[in-house]
């Protein structure tokens, strides 16, 4: 046990190179490095129909707001033979329903916390007032209700929701608290894209889990991991070994990397091309054809794949193609090859949809005058610009109505990404160059290849609050929980940074 610890710290201490492995001490490290690669291709019995999360029920209240009831609770789920797994879920035992609303609609929620500890629900990717954001300051105590409400005003997109309690986000998400939040708008509704929910338009929440001998989720960090828990089993929408019956020629998958730390490089078993049609914040101006798509934790992508009658093809995750290929990558799953889902295609898929030539609008923040530039350096497990998250410290204030450019860099060899609350941003450049096609749409989370400079432009609009901050952080949940997170406020005209009030959503809002 002692020796294991020592090895781990050697690896961590050097932070950033192959040198660390050489120093780690002979045979053990070499052995571990050799076995670090996981390959489950051909090992997964795709024998369970893919679960499609139910659409959350809603009602219109007297004021016209669309009202949803969400109930966070404990449960049990039989993922495989043997004992059921203790889980957490929202309106069900594991994961939550898909919330769906239209741009322009006011949405209202009643969220009950049936757990024995504080939690929260954050609307990842949503533009909304800080007090509704569901971050660490809007915690819900056990037995209490939180009732956030706001008007949806952003383009059609696949967002998601998950808890964000201070220091415990990883645990809450791992146990099962997460769901998709789909926004529709005039543009998405007018396009002839596959859009029949659960038939040719399918949420695809991809998560890895480790099961212990008693079939329970093993939440412990993997040995020598620099990013926390890494599972060897893949769940899609909570289904282990899923297959999906395809009944149309084109299928749209709304991919969400809902894992705590695993990176996926999606591709089909026959390397067929597919079309990327949307990134985190909405539809791309035009589809981009590719045969691989890499997503880090928290990122979403909508893809459309074409199928032939009678065929069977698998979706896999292939070894990482960028930013995660060295020894740290390998020890954290970067070289893994994983079976994800099998697609069985019916004999005569109907053919009605097409990928339109023109879809969404390109991010247009790049042309704005820049009010302020800031720089962010992520390093180790827990720091941005050398500081750890502190609930009381507001790192800076951005002025409402202005555009800022943030230059973000991963300063070590670990896997990091960068997520900003409240806004969707435009990736202006990566190391001075035009971003690759998968970074040309609206983004709220971006993977950071080590040592490269990502310039992100974002516009702060509509909402301001000098006291209640939004978060920016690495979405590797172990890093986020360890403190790789900061807080900013959006300031109104003439306002100055205030003081964070005592937390608790129920105190702010019941
Ligand atoms: Cu999905 Cu602050 O996170
Ligand atoms: Cu978020
Ligand atoms: Cu990180």
């Amino acid at each position: 046990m002692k020796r294991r610890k020592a090895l781990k710290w050697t690896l961590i201490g050097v932070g950033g190179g192959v040198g660390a492995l050489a120093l780690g001490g002979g045979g053990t490290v070499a052995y571990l490095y050799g076995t670090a690669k996981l390959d489950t291709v051909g090992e997964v019995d795709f024998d369970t129909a893919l679960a499609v999360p139910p659409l959350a029920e809603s009602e219109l209240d007297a004021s016209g707001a669309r009202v949803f009831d969400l109930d966070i609770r404990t449960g049990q789920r039989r993922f495989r033979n043997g004992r059921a797994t203790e889980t957490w879920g929202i309106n069900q035992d594991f994961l939550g329903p898909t919330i769906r609303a239209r741009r322009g609609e006011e949405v209202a929620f009643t969220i009950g916390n049936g757990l024995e500890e504080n939690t929260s629900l954050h609307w990842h990717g949503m533009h909304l007032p800080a007090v509704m954001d569901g971050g660490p300051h809007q915690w819900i105590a056990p037995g209490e209700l939180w009732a956030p409400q706001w008007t949806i005003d952003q383009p059609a997109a696949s967002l998601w929701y998950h808890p964000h309690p201070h220091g415990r986000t990883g645990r809450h998400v791992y146990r099962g608290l997460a769901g998709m939040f789909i926004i529709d708008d005039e543009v998405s509704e007018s396009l002839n894209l596959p859009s029949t929910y659960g038939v040719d338009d399918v949420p695809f929440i991809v998560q890895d889990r480790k099961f212990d001998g008693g079939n329970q989720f093993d939440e412990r960090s993997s040995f020598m991991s620099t990013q926390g828990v890494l599972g060897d089993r893949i769940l899609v929408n909570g289904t282990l070994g899923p297959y999906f019956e395809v009944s149309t020629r084109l299928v749209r998958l709304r991919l969400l990397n809902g894992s705590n730390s695993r990176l996926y490089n999606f591709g089909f078993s026959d390397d067929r091309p597919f079309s990327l049609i949307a990134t985190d914040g909405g539809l791309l101006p035009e589809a981009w054809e590719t045969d691989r798509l890499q997503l880090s934790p928290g990122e979403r992508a909508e893809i459309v794949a074409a199928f032939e009658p009678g065929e069977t093809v698998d979706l896999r995750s292939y070894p990482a193609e960028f930013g995660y290929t060295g020894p740290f990558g390998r020890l954290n799953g970067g070289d893994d090859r994983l079976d994800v889902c099998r697609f069985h295609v019916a004999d005569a898929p109907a053919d009605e949809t097409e990928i339109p030539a023109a879809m969404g609008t390109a991010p247009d923040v790049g042309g704005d005058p820049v009010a302020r530039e800031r720089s962010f350096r992520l390093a180790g497990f827990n720091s941005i610009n050398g500081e750890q998250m502190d609930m009381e410290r507001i790192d800076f204030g951005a002025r409402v109505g202005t555009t800022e450019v943030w230059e973000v860099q991963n300063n070590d060899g670990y896997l990091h990404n960068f997520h900003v609350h409240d806004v969707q941003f435009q990736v202006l450049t990566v190391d001075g160059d035009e971003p690759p096609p998968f970074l040309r749409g609206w983004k709220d989370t971006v993977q950071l290849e080590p040592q490269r400079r990502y310039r992100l432009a974002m516009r702060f609009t509509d909402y301001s609050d000098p006291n209640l901050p939004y978060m920016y952080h690495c979405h590797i949940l172990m890093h986020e929980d360890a403190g790789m997170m900061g807080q900013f406020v959006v300031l109104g005209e003439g306002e100055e940074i205030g003081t964070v009030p005592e937390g608790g959503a129920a105190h702010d809002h019941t």
Side-chain angles (χ1 to χ4, degrees), residues 75-271:
Q76 290 193 329
R77 173 69 76 92
R78 195 169 297 276
F79 291 101
R80 53 184 194 174
N81 290 336
R83 257 181 73 195
T85 306
E86 304 288 335
T87 52
W88 290 359
I90 301 140
N91 296 1
Q92 51 187 29
D93 291 328
F94 184 72
L95 299 180
T98 297
I99 297 165
R100 194 151 195 173
R102 252 186 128 245
R103 183 172 194 170
E105 265 186 326
E106 184 165 24
V107 289
F109 294 85
T110 310
I111 302 166
N113 177 8
L115 307 177
E116 274 162 18
E117 60 185 81
N118 291 342
T119 190
S120 80
L121 270 194
H122 164 61
W123 321 100
H124 180 129
M126 194 74 72
H127 174 50
L128 78 187
V131 69
M132 307 300 174
D133 189 45
H137 297 283
Q138 287 85 46
W139 48 263
I140 316 168
E144 290 197 1
L145 292 176
W146 181 43
Q149 182 161 3
W150 71 94
T151 300
I152 305 233
D153 189 15
Q154 65 192 87
S158 301
L159 311 184
W160 67 300
Y161 62 96
H162 63 78
H164 216 302
H166 184 50
R168 295 192 318 273
T169 296
R171 216 165 67 139
H172 287 214
V173 172
Y174 199 75
R175 291 180 179 188
L177 301 181
M180 202 167 268
F181 197 136
I182 298 177
I183 298 177
D184 303 298
D185 69 4
E186 269 168 29
V187 178
S188 68
E189 286 166 351
S190 71
L191 297 170
N192 190 25
L193 282 166
S195 56
T196 309
Y197 186 79
V199 176
D200 65 2
D201 182 358
V202 188
F204 219 79
I205 305 174
V206 184
Q207 301 177 306
D208 61 332
R209 289 293 182 274
K210 224 171 11 173
F211 290 90
D212 69 14
N215 262 357
Q216 303 309 301
F217 287 153
D218 185 345
E219 299 171 2
R220 290 168 306 168
S221 280
S222 314
F223 177 51
M224 301 220 341
S225 166
T226 52
Q227 58 191 54
V229 63
L230 200 71
D232 55 358
R233 301 301 210 106
I234 304 299
L235 299 174
V236 184
N237 302 339
T239 313
L240 198 58
Y243 67 84
F244 183 74
E245 299 278 4
V246 174
S247 59
T248 55
R249 190 176 62 88
L250 296 183
V251 176
R252 173 199 213 163
L253 300 177
R254 297 178 188 257
L255 301 172
L256 156 63
N257 182 346
S259 304
N260 285 41
S261 77
R262 191 182 268 287
L263 190 98
Y264 300 96
N265 183 22
F266 292 107
F268 286 95
S269 47
D270 60 358
D271 296 327

Side-chain angles (χ1 to χ4, degrees), residues 122 124 160 162 164 298 419 421 471 473 475 480 485:
H122 164 61
H124 180 129
W160 67 300
H162 63 78
H164 216 302
H419 167 52
H421 288 209
M471 308 293 132
H473 56 91
H475 219 287
E480 172 184 340
M485 176 153 69

Side-chain angles (χ1 to χ4, degrees), residues 263-463:
L263 190 98
Y264 300 96
N265 183 22
F266 292 107
F268 286 95
S269 47
D270 60 358
D271 296 327
R272 73 182 55 196
F274 54 89
S275 299
L276 175 71
I277 62 162
T279 54
D280 298 332
L283 291 162
L284 297 171
E286 57 192 47
W288 175 60
E289 196 170 272
T290 178
D291 58 6
R292 292 287 185 275
L293 184 70
Q294 193 164 306
L295 289 185
S296 67
E299 288 184 285
R300 287 89 59 216
E302 295 177 28
I303 63 168
V304 174
F307 297 96
E308 297 291 332
E311 69 173 348
T312 294
V313 64
D314 297 340
L315 185 71
R316 293 180 183 158
S317 175
Y318 288 93
E321 263 162 51
F322 58 86
Y324 215 47
T325 46
F328 288 104
R330 185 184 184 97
L331 288 163
N332 291 278
D335 288 348
D336 294 354
R337 200 168 67 133
L338 306 163
D339 264 340
V340 175
C341 183
R342 174 156 293 172
F343 293 83
H344 287 299
V345 189
D347 282 341
D351 184 7
E352 285 158 7
T353 49
E354 276 307 330
I355 299 174
M359 300 184 299
T361 25
D364 57 351
V365 197
D368 289 2
V370 178
R372 184 72 200 249
E373 296 216 4
R374 303 182 195 275
S375 90
F376 302 83
R377 298 285 177 269
L378 284 70
F381 299 143
N382 61 4
S383 76
I384 299 180
N385 293 341
E387 297 214 83
Q388 242 176 295
M389 163 75 177
D390 176 344
M391 288 278 279
E392 313 288 307
R393 186 190 72 239
I394 296 173
D395 293 274
F396 57 88
R399 191 69 61 187
V400 72
T402 69
T403 293
E404 299 198 349
V405 171
W406 294 10
E407 185 175 283
V408 189
Q409 189 171 316
N410 169 357
N411 268 14
D412 58 37
Y414 300 158
L415 177 62
H416 299 300
N417 63 12
F418 193 74
H419 167 52
V420 187
H421 288 209
D422 183 43
V423 292
Q424 293 288 335
F425 50 75
Q426 176 178 0
V427 181
L428 297 176
T429 54
V430 178
D431 266 357
D433 296 330
E434 194 194 0
F438 54 88
L439 294 182
R440 290 188 198 153
W442 291 108
K443 293 288 291 172
D444 58 50
T445 307
V446 63
Q447 188 193 334
L448 304 173
E449 286 192 62
Q451 313 302 344
R452 305 190 76 185
R453 285 169 296 115
Y454 291 75
R455 288 175 65 81
L456 317 176
M458 62 201 85
R459 205 183 264 149
F460 298 94
T461 57
D462 304 316
Y463 311 114

